[in-house]
Amino acid sequence: MEEGDPTLRLRIFDLNCWAIRYLSKWRQERVRLIGDMLLQDSFDLVLLQEVWSEQDYSDLKEKLRGCYPFSHYFHSGVIGSGLCVFSRFPILDTLLYQYSLNGYPYMLQHGDWFCGKSVGLVVTKISGIIFNVYVTHLHAEYCREKDVYLPHRLVQAWELAQFIRHTSGAADVVLLGGDLNMHPGDVGIQLLRGWTGLRDAFTEAARFEGCEDGCTLIPNNRFTVKAELLPFPQGVRIDYILYKAISSVTVKCEELKTTTGTAPGMDIPFSDHEAVMVTLHIQRQGQAAGDNLSTTEPALVDVVTETRTEVVVGLRAAQQQRHSTGRMAALALLLLLLQAAAALGALAGLVAGQPFPKLSFSLLAFLAIGVLLLATGLHLFHTMEVKMLQGTEEQMRMALRVLRERPSDG
Amino acid sequence: MEEGDPTLRLRIFDLNCWAIRYLSKWRQERVRLIGDMLLQDSFDLVLLQEVWSEQDYSDLKEKLRGCYPFSHYFHSGVIGSGLCVFSRFPILDTLLYQYSLNGYPYMLQHGDWFCGKSVGLVVTKISGIIFNVYVTHLHAEYCREKDVYLPHRLVQAWELAQFIRHTSGAADVVLLGGDLNMHPGDVGIQLLRGWTGLRDAFTEAARFEGCEDGCTLIPNNRFTVKAELLPFPQGVRIDYILYKAISSVTVKCEELKTTTGTAPGMDIPFSDHEAVMVTLHIQRQGQAAGDNLSTTEPALVDVVTETRTEVVVGLRAAQQQRHSTGRMAALALLLLLLQAAAALGALAGLVAGQPFPKLSFSLLAFLAIGVLLLATGLHLFHTMEVKMLQGTEEQMRMALRVLRERPSDG
């Protein structure tokens, strides 16, 4: 912090763009619209999710070159992370962390597994202040009543919080933007905020303009699935911008805006999500302020405990699935061995009378091989899942120990 | 740093344990021997790799409970990371980072892919000094002349360096121990040291005792593969302890020792690798010393450039493989479609004369399905590989830009 103005006003734009090639409606038009708006209304940092076509990223990069000369796309998984950042200021460094759990490969209708869900970090320095800017997208919630992905999403929330805590030691300001797929009161949000000390720009904002309660998935948007929003007639808030100051800097949220179902002045929306736009006021101070762990969260032990309980529930389910897929693989192997024995017997002439009908025999073997391969693959997958859930549970146990010892630790 | 003694002597033990269930010779005896020695000769920190049986870890944990009350096993992949840490001092926090590339799943004889190679971080505080302790194991080098895994190992070295740089902002001292599978002059070691500023305990040590040149894989060890060491009659040094002081602390290496082919006073070795043991002398200073980037490495730009070239070579190979597996999948699909057309034709009576022999027809279909599935899987895998290599190459380009701009940046 050797140069620059003592106060700084920073404008940040965050949007889940819903830009899936072949699947998202009006993708190219909407990406063009997003680019036009970013050119008109100049922000300092733009955090985008679900930009799943690298061509869309390249087009945006080309278009925004003048206004946002720096950008980064985070590569991961088969399809890509979908995460990218555009910046008016030089990007000094980047790092990608892939979450260890991200749904199931066989849930093809819920494509999350194939995207390699991650958190991306870009480091930038503005007026001598170092910003660690994180962008992420957590696993979707397909059914709130019976949310089978809850343990995976909580592991992701935990890993996100851990990644931010461990990588932000040299930063002055931490910013996180993204689609967290959790409602403001959900335990995962409490965990993330409590464990990192991040503040929610929506609740901190001095001025607000946009959808009621800051919702970012609303029935008024023509691309949202209305049936999913039936229990929430106003919509839900699942896209966030969070922030905190680490060293001798204070950050205040002057304003938060959301779009309200359409792109400003247009009749189509940018995406099925609303965009979140904040203006932060950043000021340098003489003395250091803030702690890595927020002391305004006395209930953190309870939050970690509750999360751990959910992770243990997920662990039991994963162990059950590992067991049943293992058993199925063993049965398929047994069937194959029996067939092999019967075939050998027939060859050796030990079995009297008519041999097996060849076609059904080979079809049965084919089936058994298929089941064996599939069940073995699933067994290995659930073994990994068990390990990751166990590992997270152990980390949370350690965190609880450290939290409880904190007062005496000084 | 509010309490404690101004100077501190720290003893660290590092070993690749070669403890693979069913495969490693005399595994249980050797693990028992390692445990005995750790009890007798008390260290402060113990960094182990290739502890692939969690039972071995539990046994060690039970045995060492009195002397090393704190420990952590890093879970990852199907088999586990094999990485664990034992400590005399409380472990405050942990984090695991899985490398994005780690060999090929179809190279079953080189099992690296299945282990989910990672770097583990444990944070501990000793006499008020915060230590970030990293333990890792990089991809093996199976053939030095034609090292097909070089791009993957270099991506890992880069990710390791980036992970250390980004997570050590709040630490006073950084320690890294592990099997890096690289010789001291290799570009990956230069990259790691140059990009993080870590010092090599072997070259810094005031006193040394052990194998010539600090080798950790030697022909004198009964478990090493002698043929692999033919070009290196003294052996090779691939296990390291590296360190650096970040804040107002100085670290000096008083002593480095290695075992010399057998466990001390015994006739069998601990492992096929030699153990590395160092004594560090840590002292607090009044003023801050050290920089995140070592200034004693003027050739860093050259090292990053050379690494980037290797990564690009790997990228071309991966693109080639992605292309050829894609073509094979397309051919298998074509064959299946032709068969389906022929079968439909036969059913509709369009094909005169003898129908196809059912058995060979279904075997051919089975083969085509097998090739289709396999080639599709490989195509997806190489697509991911291409993305990761591209991403790393972009990061390195950014690093080069930042390095070149550094003098004017201040």
Side-chain angles (χ1 to χ4, degrees):
Chain A
M1 283 200 280
E2 63 286 289
E3 84 244 40
D5 182 16
T7 72
L8 178 69
R9 192 159 272 114
L10 206 69
R11 297 192 65 219
I12 304 155
F13 179 90
D14 172 81
L15 175 65
N16 176 330
C17 298
W18 188 49
I20 313 165
R21 217 188 270 208
Y22 314 121
L23 286 178
S24 302
K25 284 178 201 151
W26 296 8
R27 190 188 100 246
Q28 285 161 309
E29 291 79 358
R30 291 188 293 103
V31 170
R32 205 174 305 130
L33 215 59
I34 293 168
D36 290 343
M37 189 275 309
L38 290 176
L39 273 185
Q40 258 178 43
D41 194 357
S42 89
F43 291 89
D44 297 292
L45 286 166
V46 176
L47 314 177
L48 303 180
Q49 303 99 52
E50 291 203 5
V51 179
W52 267 317
S53 146
E54 289 194 31
Q55 190 56 51
D56 285 345
Y57 169 72
S58 305
D59 292 349
L60 275 174
K61 187 175 168 172
E62 192 50 49
K63 186 171 190 170
L64 302 177
R65 194 176 289 280
C67 224
Y68 305 85
F70 305 94
S71 66
H72 188 76
Y73 186 87
F74 291 97
H75 300 271
S76 88
V78 178
I79 308 174
S81 69
L83 306 173
C84 60
V85 173
F86 291 90
S87 167
R88 281 217 299 135
F89 301 95
I91 292 174
L92 301 177
D93 209 341
T94 66
L95 187 66
L96 180 76
Y97 183 93
Q98 285 197 38
Y99 299 122
S100 62
L101 288 177
N102 189 35
Y104 303 99
Y106 49 84
M107 298 299 267
L108 290 173
Q109 76 279 30
H110 302 159
D112 299 66
W113 187 82
F114 291 91
C115 318
K117 288 258 163 73
S118 316
V119 46
L121 159 64
V122 309
V123 180
T124 179
K125 195 173 176 181
I126 307 172
S127 301
I129 298 174
I130 296 172
F131 286 81
N132 269 25
V133 182
Y134 300 84
V135 57
T136 194
H137 186 181
L138 303 193
H139 197 292
E141 178 186 78
Y142 292 98
C143 170
R144 198 167 169 83
E145 284 66 49
K146 199 177 174 321
D147 183 9
V148 291
Y149 298 110
L150 181 61
H152 285 209
R153 199 178 313 103
L154 287 177
V155 167
Q156 293 183 344
W158 172 258
E159 290 180 344
L160 172 59
Q162 283 285 77
F163 182 70
I164 292 174
R165 285 179 65 233
H166 281 284
T167 53
S168 57
D172 297 307
V173 177
V174 170
L175 296 175
L176 164 64
D179 175 359
L180 302 180
N181 270 313
M182 296 184 284
H183 298 199
D186 287 359
V187 67
I189 291 285
Q190 292 178 52
L191 178 78
L192 176 64
R193 288 184 44 216
W195 195 229
T196 58
L198 283 165
R199 288 155 185 276
D200 184 345
F202 174 74
T203 53
E204 303 283 331
R207 276 198 309 281
F208 169 73
E209 200 178 300
C211 301
E212 205 166 341
D213 295 330
C215 290
T216 59
L217 215 54
I218 57 170
N220 241 352
N221 181 312
R222 74 160 77 170
F223 295 128
T224 53
V225 182
K226 303 302 171 283
E228 285 176 6
L229 289 175
L230 274 185
F232 307 100
Q234 285 175 11
V236 295
R237 182 157 77 94
I238 60 174
D239 299 86
Y240 296 81
I241 292 177
L242 305 172
Y243 65 87
K244 75 165 175 172
I246 291 188
S247 59
S248 53
V249 164
T250 52
V251 181
K252 282 189 185 127
C253 182
E254 281 189 0
E255 186 182 58
L256 187 141
K257 281 187 187 180
T258 72
T259 52
T260 52
T262 54
M266 309 292 286
D267 54 0
I268 71 160
F270 288 137
S271 164
D272 59 347
H273 286 244
E274 302 307 313
V276 181
M277 295 156 280
V278 307
T279 307
L280 296 181
H281 183 263
I282 294 149
Q283 195 157 22
R284 260 176 287 184
Q285 279 190 318
Q287 69 207 42
D291 183 352
N292 253 359
L293 271 172
S294 160
T295 48
T296 58
E297 302 280 347
L300 186 53
V301 169
D302 298 339
V303 170
V304 177
T305 306
E306 186 180 342
T307 313
R308 192 180 147 214
T309 308
E310 291 292 349
V311 169
V312 170
V313 169
L315 178 60
R316 297 282 166 271
Q319 282 168 331
Q320 180 59 42
Q321 277 167 312
R322 178 177 64 171
H323 181 75
S324 58
T325 49
R327 202 173 43 192
M328 189 174 290
L331 285 175
L333 188 65
L334 190 69
L335 177 60
L336 267 180
L337 290 176
L338 282 176
Q339 280 203 291
L344 282 175
L347 277 178
L350 295 176
V351 179
Q354 193 73 1
F356 306 100
K358 276 181 183 169
L359 184 65
S360 18
F361 193 82
S362 57
L363 280 181
L364 187 61
F366 178 43
L367 186 73
I369 291 173
V371 170
L372 177 62
L373 287 177
L374 193 70
T376 306
L378 287 176
H379 182 68
L380 291 179
F381 179 81
H382 288 299
T383 302
M384 280 198 268
E385 190 190 10
V386 164
K387 277 193 193 297
M388 292 305 174
L389 288 165
Q390 267 174 345
T392 308
E393 196 271 331
E394 279 170 26
Q395 277 189 45
M396 287 176 175
R397 226 184 312 146
M398 186 187 299
L400 284 170
R401 198 197 69 214
V402 172
L403 277 177
R404 287 189 183 118
E405 283 169 4
R406 187 162 289 268
S408 64
D409 182 53
Chain B
M1 285 200 280
E2 62 286 289
E3 84 245 39
D5 182 17
T7 74
L8 178 70
R9 193 159 271 113
L10 206 70
R11 296 193 64 220
I12 303 156
F13 178 91
D14 173 80
L15 175 66
N16 176 330
C17 298
W18 189 47
I20 313 165
R21 218 188 269 209
Y22 315 119
L23 287 178
S24 303
K25 284 177 201 152
W26 297 8
R27 192 188 98 246
Q28 284 161 311
E29 292 80 358
R30 292 188 292 102
V31 170
R32 207 174 304 132
L33 216 60
I34 293 167
D36 290 344
M37 189 273 311
L38 290 175
L39 273 184
Q40 258 177 43
D41 195 359
S42 89
F43 291 89
D44 297 293
L45 284 167
V46 176
L47 314 178
L48 304 180
Q49 303 99 51
E50 290 205 5
V51 179
W52 266 318
S53 146
E54 289 194 31
Q55 189 55 51
D56 286 345
Y57 169 71
S58 304
D59 293 349
L60 275 174
K61 187 174 168 174
E62 190 52 47
K63 186 171 190 168
L64 302 176
R65 195 176 288 282
C67 225
Y68 305 86
F70 304 95
S71 66
H72 188 77
Y73 187 88
F74 290 98
H75 300 271
S76 87
V78 179
I79 308 175
S81 69
L83 307 172
C84 60
V85 174
F86 291 90
S87 166
R88 283 216 297 132
F89 302 95
I91 293 174
L92 301 177
D93 209 342
T94 68
L95 188 65
L96 180 77
Y97 183 93
Q98 285 197 40
Y99 299 123
S100 62
L101 289 176
N102 189 34
Y104 303 99
Y106 50 83
M107 298 299 267
L108 289 174
Q109 75 279 31
H110 303 160
D112 299 64
W113 188 81
F114 291 91
C115 316
K117 287 260 163 70
S118 315
V119 46
L121 160 63
V122 307
V123 180
T124 179
K125 196 174 178 181
I126 307 174
S127 300
I129 298 174
I130 295 172
F131 286 81
N132 268 26
V133 183
Y134 300 86
V135 57
T136 194
H137 186 181
L138 303 193
H139 197 291
E141 178 187 77
Y142 292 97
C143 170
R144 198 166 170 83
E145 284 64 51
K146 199 177 174 319
D147 183 9
V148 290
Y149 298 110
L150 182 61
H152 284 208
R153 199 179 313 102
L154 287 177
V155 168
Q156 293 183 344
W158 172 259
E159 290 179 344
L160 172 60
Q162 283 283 77
F163 182 70
I164 292 174
R165 286 178 65 233
H166 282 285
T167 53
S168 57
D172 297 307
V173 177
V174 170
L175 296 175
L176 165 64
D179 175 358
L180 302 181
N181 270 311
M182 296 185 286
H183 298 201
D186 287 359
V187 66
I189 291 285
Q190 292 178 53
L191 178 77
L192 176 64
R193 288 184 43 216
W195 196 228
T196 58
L198 282 165
R199 288 155 185 274
D200 184 346
F202 173 75
T203 53
E204 303 282 332
R207 276 197 310 281
F208 169 71
E209 202 178 298
C211 301
E212 206 167 340
D213 294 332
C215 289
T216 58
L217 216 54
I218 58 170
N220 241 352
N221 181 309
R222 73 161 76 170
F223 295 129
T224 53
V225 182
K226 303 300 171 286
E228 284 177 6
L229 290 174
L230 275 184
F232 308 99
Q234 287 174 11
V236 295
R237 182 158 75 96
I238 61 174
D239 299 85
Y240 296 80
I241 292 178
L242 305 171
Y243 65 86
K244 74 164 176 174
I246 291 187
S247 58
S248 53
V249 165
T250 53
V251 181
K252 281 188 185 127
C253 182
E254 281 189 0
E255 188 182 58
L256 186 141
K257 282 187 185 180
T258 72
T259 51
T260 52
T262 55
M266 308 293 285
D267 55 358
I268 71 160
F270 288 137
S271 163
D272 59 347
H273 287 245
E274 302 306 314
V276 181
M277 294 156 282
V278 308
T279 306
L280 297 180
H281 182 263
I282 293 148
Q283 196 158 22
R284 261 174 285 182
Q285 280 191 316
Q287 68 206 42
D291 185 352
N292 252 359
L293 270 171
S294 159
T295 48
T296 58
E297 303 279 349
L300 187 52
V301 169
D302 298 340
V303 170
V304 178
T305 306
E306 187 181 341
T307 313
R308 190 180 149 214
T309 309
E310 290 294 348
V311 169
V312 170
V313 170
L315 177 61
R316 296 284 167 270
Q319 282 168 331
Q320 182 59 43
Q321 278 167 311
R322 179 177 63 172
H323 180 74
S324 58
T325 49
R327 201 174 42 192
M328 188 176 291
L331 284 176
L333 188 66
L334 191 68
L335 177 61
L336 266 180
L337 291 176
L338 282 175
Q339 279 202 292
L344 282 175
L347 276 178
L350 295 176
V351 179
Q354 194 74 358
F356 307 100
K358 274 181 185 167
L359 185 65
S360 20
F361 193 82
S362 58
L363 280 180
L364 187 63
F366 178 42
L367 186 74
I369 291 174
V371 170
L372 177 62
L373 289 177
L374 194 70
T376 307
L378 287 175
H379 182 69
L380 291 179
F381 179 82
H382 288 298
T383 302
M384 279 199 267
E385 191 189 9
V386 164
K387 277 192 194 296
M388 292 304 174
L389 288 164
Q390 267 175 345
T392 308
E393 196 271 330
E394 279 170 25
Q395 276 190 43
M396 288 176 175
R397 225 185 311 147
M398 187 187 299
L400 284 170
R401 198 196 69 215
V402 172
L403 278 176
R404 288 191 182 115
E405 284 171 1
R406 188 162 290 267
S408 65
D409 183 51

